[in-house]
Amino acid sequence: MTTMMNKKLLALALMAILAAAAVMAGGPLDKKPAKTKKKAAASKVKSDFDKAVDFFNEGQTDKAYVIFKKELQNARHKGYAATFIASMKMDEGDVQAALDAIKLADGNIPASDSAFNAYFHSEAARVMLATGDTTTTLQLLSEAVNLQPADAFYYDRRGKFFQKLERYDEAAADLRRAAELLPDDMEAQLSLACAVDAQNRFDEAIELFDNVVTRWPDAADGFAYRASTFYNMQDFAAATDDAIRALAIDGENSHALWLLPYIQQQDAAVLKAKLQDKVVTDAPRAALWKRLLDEMASN
């Protein structure tokens, strides 16, 4: 068995954790709160359309959908409403309805509203990926980046799509730009570190992970994903230490739990010894460490 983990699995595992709320066939993409251009009207009373956008952002999609359906008859709001409907239908897994809505929105959003046009293109990308059209997906994501070149969200979304395509150099470039635009965002910094790991640039990845765990020491994912890089470097003792630190923070951390069987295959004695030590020295979580030892014994 090779000691190098499958990079595609690692990238997909990261996306699943960092974008678990987003629904997209073949792999998730992040969701972004919707924004529309402010209207010039002096009235402080919100229009039905504005209320629908608020409902959408608050997750009250049933209420939002009823209003957006009505707004399809409003030429001014048609493209916006159809885009929101497409997003909701994708979340429901209704790809055909989402595709129909995207077609309705196309060409009905003012060109001057570059921010929402970028959002439209990114949502259209979700739909096209669900149909299996990866070429159009990439074109749409790139257009979203071009429309909003200072918005980290679109670099992040395209970067994670490049990971899905196993185009790791391009993924790292996009995720590096996202991290530069969001220097104080833990998930952006973590995504970059994982992207660099996927390029097999392990020393740089460790430096990036070190930054994450130093700045966000209570975030289990920083330790869990640094453990993966240590594993890839065949430093199984360090990988074990980080996986255990992640689980000490969050006993159900999915990546650390996913990694433990790989570590066990390479250095079961060290893993067992460290878990036994935690049973003695970490009484509040002794049940967790005993459970993991029992799982080791059954593997």
Side-chain angles (χ1 to χ4, degrees), residues 172-191:
D174 270 356
L175 294 172
R176 189 178 299 279
R177 182 57 179 147
E180 290 169 352
L181 290 166
L182 294 174
D184 297 319
D185 184 273
M186 189 273 288
E187 291 185 357
Q189 305 308 313
L190 184 60
S191 292

Side-chain angles (χ1 to χ4, degrees), residues 59-90:
Q60 300 186 59
T61 53
D62 289 345
K63 292 180 180 179
Y65 181 75
V66 170
I67 299 174
F68 284 138
K69 282 287 288 184
K70 294 178 180 178
E71 291 295 324
L72 291 176
Q73 307 306 314
N74 183 329
R76 182 181 180 187
H77 296 157
K78 180 178 180 179
Y80 296 97
T83 302
F84 292 135
I85 289 172
S87 180
M88 290 185 285
K89 290 301 178 183
M90 276 300 300

Side-chain angles (χ1 to χ4, degrees), residues 113-166:
D113 193 347
S114 61
F116 196 86
N117 268 295
Y119 179 75
F120 161 76
H121 280 83
S122 68
E123 289 304 290
R126 292 180 70 207
V127 177
M128 296 312 298
L129 181 54
T131 70
D133 187 346
T134 56
T135 299
T136 302
T137 298
L138 182 55
Q139 291 172 347
L140 289 164
L141 290 173
S142 295
E143 184 60 23
V145 169
N146 292 337
L147 286 163
Q148 291 287 281
D151 193 327
F153 172 79
Y154 299 112
Y155 290 101
D156 180 80
R157 176 169 275 196
R158 188 176 65 177
K160 288 172 182 173
F161 181 61
F162 277 133
Q163 285 182 322
K164 178 180 175 61
L165 299 177
E166 300 183 44

Side-chain angles (χ1 to χ4, degrees), residues 195-270:
V196 171
D197 171 86
Q199 293 179 292
N200 297 335
R201 293 162 57 190
F202 301 136
D203 289 338
E204 182 184 354
I206 289 296
E207 291 179 5
L208 292 166
F209 282 122
D210 287 348
N211 172 61
V212 171
V213 300
T214 298
R215 296 181 64 189
W216 296 281
D218 296 327
D221 280 344
F223 294 103
Y225 282 95
R226 189 173 67 176
S228 291
T229 298
F230 279 131
Y231 180 100
N232 288 337
M233 298 172 76
Q234 301 184 39
D235 188 343
F236 303 121
T240 302
D241 286 339
D242 265 0
I244 289 175
R245 289 183 73 177
L247 290 166
I249 297 169
D250 174 10
E252 299 303 322
N253 182 272
S254 59
H255 191 71
L257 292 173
W258 173 77
L259 184 60
L260 285 183
Y262 288 94
I263 295 174
Q264 182 179 353
Q265 290 174 5
Q266 300 300 327
D267 201 340
V270 169

